[in-house]
Every structure is written in structure tokens, then in C-alpha cells.
């Protein structure tokens, strides 16, 4: 029997889910703590995916992960100091691909955004 968490994780990863699996989960009680944990996991995955997208934009010249982590650190600091306050205030901003990805990362609510080159390097090489 498939648990609700397993089913949702399969869906999040793009794996096929049968109608019988979905119905079995719908007819059972899902523990609230499991749902909250899954929500945190999904938000963190969304944050990390957005950061990796920004890193791909910054790595156009294929400089290596340590250099990309350095560029990503600088982009996050610039975004947080200049662009994020404007967006939060409702001011219009034209966002490039890197800033759009960072905007999604900041909106994800997936915990604190890693800001150091070392933590970003770990994210890039994981």
C-alpha cells in the first residue's frame, strides 16, 4: 500500500501514479506532520531548483563549480540588496533570467537562502 508521502514524492519527481494509488491515499487519513514535512521538502526543492537555474545562467562560459558558486553568491547579495526590496515594495522591475530565478528562490519559502560560496558550492556539486 502506498503512503501519501510516497505518492506525493512520486508525483513531484514526475513518476507515474495509478488511479488506484491515488484513491487509496484519498481514503486514508494522512498524518498532518507528514504533510507539513512534505511541504517543507517541496519548498526546499523549489528553492534549490531556482538557485540551480540561476547558476546555469551564470555558468554560460563553463568556469567550474567553485567560480559559479562565487558568481551566485555575488548575484544573491546584489539581488537581496537592490532588487528584492523593490519587488517587495511593489515597484516594477524588469528581471533577467538570473534575477527571475532568484525571485522564485526567495518566494519559495524553502528555508533560508544559502549565501556563502561554500554552501552554494555544496548545492552545485551535490
Amino acid at each position: 500500500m502506498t503512503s501519501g508521502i510516497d505518492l506525493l514524492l512520486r508525483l513531484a519527481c514526475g513518476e507515474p501514479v495509478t488511479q488506484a494509488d491515488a484513491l487509496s491515499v484519498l481514503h486514508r487519513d494522512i498524518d498532518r506532520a507528514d504533510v507539513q514535512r512534505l511541504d517543507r521538502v517541496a519548498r526546499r526543492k523549489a528553492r534549490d531548483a531556482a538557485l540551480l537555474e540561476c547558476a546555469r545562467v551564470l555558468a554560460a562560459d563553463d568556469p567550474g563549480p567553485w567560480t559559479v558558486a562565487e558568481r551566485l553568491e555575488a548575484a544573491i547579495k546584489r539581488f537581496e540588496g537592490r532588487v528584492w526590496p523593490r519587488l517587495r515594495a511593489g515597484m516594477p522591475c524588469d528581471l533577467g533570467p538570473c534575477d527571475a530565478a532568484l525571485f522564485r528562490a526567495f518566494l519559495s519559502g524553502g528555508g533560508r537562502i544559502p549565501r556563502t560560496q561554500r554552501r552554494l558550492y555544496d548545492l552545485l556539486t551535490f
Side-chain angles (χ1 to χ4, degrees):
M1 183 176 271
T2 304
S3 75
I5 299 301
D6 293 335
L7 182 71
L8 291 173
L9 286 174
R10 285 176 40 202
L11 282 170
C13 294
E15 295 178 17
V17 175
T18 66
Q19 184 179 12
D21 289 338
L23 287 173
S24 70
V25 170
L26 288 173
H27 294 292
R28 284 186 283 130
D29 290 331
I30 298 175
D31 184 17
R32 190 161 195 60
D34 286 343
V35 172
Q36 289 174 343
R37 182 180 58 81
L38 180 62
D39 188 42
R40 281 193 309 273
V41 170
R43 286 183 281 135
R44 180 167 289 156
K45 279 186 172 186
R47 179 202 70 192
D48 290 350
L51 290 172
L52 290 172
E53 183 180 334
C54 182
R56 280 191 293 278
V57 171
L58 296 171
D61 59 341
D62 198 25
W66 185 250
T67 303
V68 174
E70 181 181 28
R71 291 176 183 178
L72 187 54
E73 177 187 28
I76 290 169
K77 286 180 182 176
R78 182 195 53 77
F79 179 86
E80 189 173 30
R82 296 180 187 161
V83 180
W84 183 237
R86 296 185 74 202
L87 292 169
R88 288 179 50 201
M91 298 173 69
C93 291
D94 289 331
L95 300 178
C98 185
D99 284 341
L102 289 175
F103 185 44
R104 285 192 306 279
F106 274 73
L107 287 178
S108 71
R112 294 174 38 173
I113 302 291
R115 288 175 173 79
T116 65
Q117 185 176 5
R118 179 72 210 171
R119 293 218 30 230
L120 293 166
Y121 175 81
D122 290 342
L123 175 68
L124 295 173
T125 59
F126 178 64

